[in-house]
């Protein structure tokens, strides 16, 4: 199994959507190799075909892209490993949580870190990243990140559903971590690797949860160096 993953100039892996899949692979105890790519290399993963996104895995001669589809593929292909996405309504509720992560966590974090992330990219990726993200957010990276010290409290408040959930156990999924934890973890790991900005207060239960997630699987997340 090969995981195609994005790297920055220091060769650290920062993609939030890849971190979900890395944690899912570790949860299942599946071995894989990582192929480092820059944004500019992505079209070559599926040369001549549709442009894929990161994460993409290659397995048994097949490319699987999109984190949700990858985890479903892993559940189906390795039924002897712990399932992460339940079939039916439970899986749909997890998908709803993924949408919440995408809008509230990723959306909020992007407005705190994208200029810092840009500074740490390989110079070959910087023009593409700036142009594509400024088009997406309809403002410069500098304007997007400006005033974050005044905005971070509102972001922290927006995490209240996680705080309520963590009142029931050490993980969003309860006593043991599950895919909801990995979905949320990906966003905070993206920030940790891409920016020195302190997103979470030290006394926040979400901060304690993130530290617990960094320790999972022999510290797989913690081994990736944080932004300097
Ligand atoms: N829904 C996709 C989103 C994947 C995605 O947007 N990945 C980003 C990197 S985190 C990407 O490949 N971007 C390519 C680009 O901007 O050209 C998933 O969850 O896998």
């Amino acid at each position: 199994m090969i995981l195609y993953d994005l790297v920055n100039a220091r060769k650290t892996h920062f993609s939030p959507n890849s971190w979900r899949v890395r944690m899912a692979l570790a949860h299942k105890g599946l071995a894989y190799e990582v192929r480092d790519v820059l944004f500019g290399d992505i079209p070559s993963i599926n040369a001549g075909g549709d442009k894929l996104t990161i994460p993409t895995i290659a397995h048994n001669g097949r490319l699987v892209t999109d984190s949700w589809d990858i985890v479903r593929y892993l559940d189906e292909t390795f039924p002897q490993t712990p399932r992460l996405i339940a079939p039916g309504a439970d899986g749909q509720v997890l998908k709803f949580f993924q949408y919440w992560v995408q809008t509230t966590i990723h959306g909020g974090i992007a407005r705190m870190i994208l200029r810092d992330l840009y500074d740490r990219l390989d110079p070959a990726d910087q023009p593409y990243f700036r142009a594509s993200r400024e088009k997406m957010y309809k403002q410069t990276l500098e304007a997007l990140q400006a005033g974050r010290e005044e905005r971070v409290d509102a972001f922290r408040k927006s995490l209240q559903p996680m705080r309520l959930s963590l009142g029931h156990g050490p993980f969003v999924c309860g006593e043991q971590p599950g895919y909801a934890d990995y979905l949320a973890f990906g966003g905070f790991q993206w920030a940790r690797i891409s920016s020195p900005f302190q997103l979470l207060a030290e006394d926040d239960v979400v901060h304690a949860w993130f530290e617990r997630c960094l320790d999972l699987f022999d510290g797989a997340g913690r081994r990736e160096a944080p932004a300097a």
Side-chain angles (χ1 to χ4, degrees):
M1 174 125 42
I2 292 166
L3 171 70
Y4 292 92
D5 203 357
L6 282 165
V7 281
N8 59 17
R10 285 198 309 163
K11 304 273 180 247
T12 51
H13 302 93
F14 59 91
S15 160
N17 305 308
S18 283
W19 273 102
R20 307 165 170 177
V21 168
R22 282 172 174 263
M23 297 299 268
L25 285 161
H27 185 105
K28 288 174 172 292
L30 295 171
Y32 61 100
E33 279 172 38
V34 178
R35 291 277 157 82
D36 290 347
V37 293
L38 299 179
F39 280 101
D41 301 323
I42 296 176
S44 68
I45 299 172
N46 190 28
D50 293 340
K51 185 183 167 190
L52 306 178
T53 51
I54 299 299
T56 288
I57 62 162
H59 183 246
N60 276 347
R62 182 174 165 190
L63 289 170
V64 186
T65 198
D66 184 79
S67 53
W68 183 265
D69 288 346
I70 293 170
V71 175
R72 281 200 324 171
Y73 173 83
L74 297 176
D75 278 345
E76 279 158 24
T77 310
F78 301 98
Q80 72 283 13
T81 64
R83 179 180 271 280
L84 285 167
I85 300 177
D90 285 353
Q92 287 309 311
V93 175
L94 197 53
K95 188 92 194 228
F96 177 86
F97 186 75
Q98 177 173 296
Y99 290 133
W100 182 76
V101 166
Q102 187 183 317
T103 51
T104 302
I105 299 188
H106 290 195
I109 290 177
R111 289 167 173 78
M112 309 278 162
I113 67 154
L114 277 202
R115 176 58 220 260
D116 290 349
L117 186 155
Y118 167 84
D119 285 338
R120 286 161 181 77
L121 286 176
D122 187 295
D125 267 350
Q126 285 179 326
Y128 167 77
F129 186 83
R130 179 182 280 283
S132 59
R133 271 47 184 183
E134 292 188 348
K135 189 171 171 204
M136 189 185 295
Y137 291 100
K138 299 184 177 58
Q139 54 187 321
T140 63
L141 295 179
E142 289 71 19
L144 187 71
Q145 195 175 284
R148 60 184 173 180
E149 291 77 11
E150 289 75 52
R151 294 185 287 104
V152 71
D153 270 354
F155 170 72
R156 290 173 181 173
K157 283 200 179 83
S158 75
L159 303 174
Q160 190 61 6
M162 274 191 77
R163 251 168 241 123
L164 293 171
S165 178
L166 291 168
H168 299 284
F171 294 101
V172 175
C173 290
E175 287 303 315
Q176 300 299 327
Y179 197 52
D181 292 280
Y182 307 148
L183 286 167
F185 172 79
F188 293 102
Q189 178 75 325
W190 177 41
R192 173 180 170 270
I193 290 166
S194 307
S195 169
F197 185 65
Q198 177 141 13
L199 265 184
L200 297 170
E202 305 263 336
D203 61 354
D204 190 342
V205 293
V206 180
H207 183 276
W209 160 87
F210 182 55
E211 293 294 313
R212 269 196 292 282
C213 289
L214 285 170
D215 287 335
L216 291 170
F217 313 121
D218 296 323
R222 204 180 285 288
R223 275 198 296 277
E224 205 75 8

